[in-house]
Amino acid sequence: MKHETRIRVRFSDTDLNGHVNNAVYATYMEESRIAFVRDIFPDEKLSLVLASLHIDYRAQTYYPEHQWVVATTWLTRIGRSSFEFYCEICSEEGVLLCEGTAVVVNFDFAKQTSQPLSDEVKARLSQYLVAKEDRDPTHV
């Protein structure tokens, strides 16, 4: 399964030419990760920290031409204490704007160390585990 989040493009996301700034895509990816975790674990609070973020830009985004983008998110790896998100951000017309990965770690803030994911958490996450090779082939 894949998780989808519709995100509003804000005027403040742009430069003077109406071009969406590249740093904003990290925020869009964060919004999609937060929506993903809240939907999968609505009654729980996971202690996750971002360990890695990688973004490949595919097309430019302009406001007000693009007022919404759609972030499709799934998992490509579940480890002992971490998991990897894969995210594609597209225009509403389906044009791939960027894609990237984010690794989050289950973290014990009191001990300041990673902690293993429970079997229950892994089982719920595994519903969204998709091989990178199984992504939409129309997105180049």
Side-chain angles (χ1 to χ4, degrees), residues 32 124 136:
S32 103
R124 285 161 76 182
D136 188 342

Side-chain angles (χ1 to χ4, degrees), residues 10 14 18 24 31 43 56-58 63 65 67 70 72 74 81 89 91 98 100-101 105 107-108 119-120 132 136:
R10 298 166 294 267
T14 66
V24 172
E31 287 183 43
D43 300 321
D56 291 317
Y57 301 95
R58 303 297 183 207
Y63 180 88
E65 291 85 354
Q67 294 190 20
V70 178
T72 304
W74 63 91
S81 63
I89 298 177
S91 68
C98 78
T101 59
V105 177
F107 198 74
D108 183 327
D119 289 339
E120 180 186 338
K132 286 182 188 178
D136 188 342

Side-chain angles (χ1 to χ4, degrees), residues 96-114:
L96 180 62
L97 304 171
C98 78
E99 58 188 320
T101 59
V103 176
V104 295
V105 177
N106 195 31
F107 198 74
D108 183 327
F109 286 93
K111 296 178 183 175
Q112 288 294 295
T113 186
S114 64

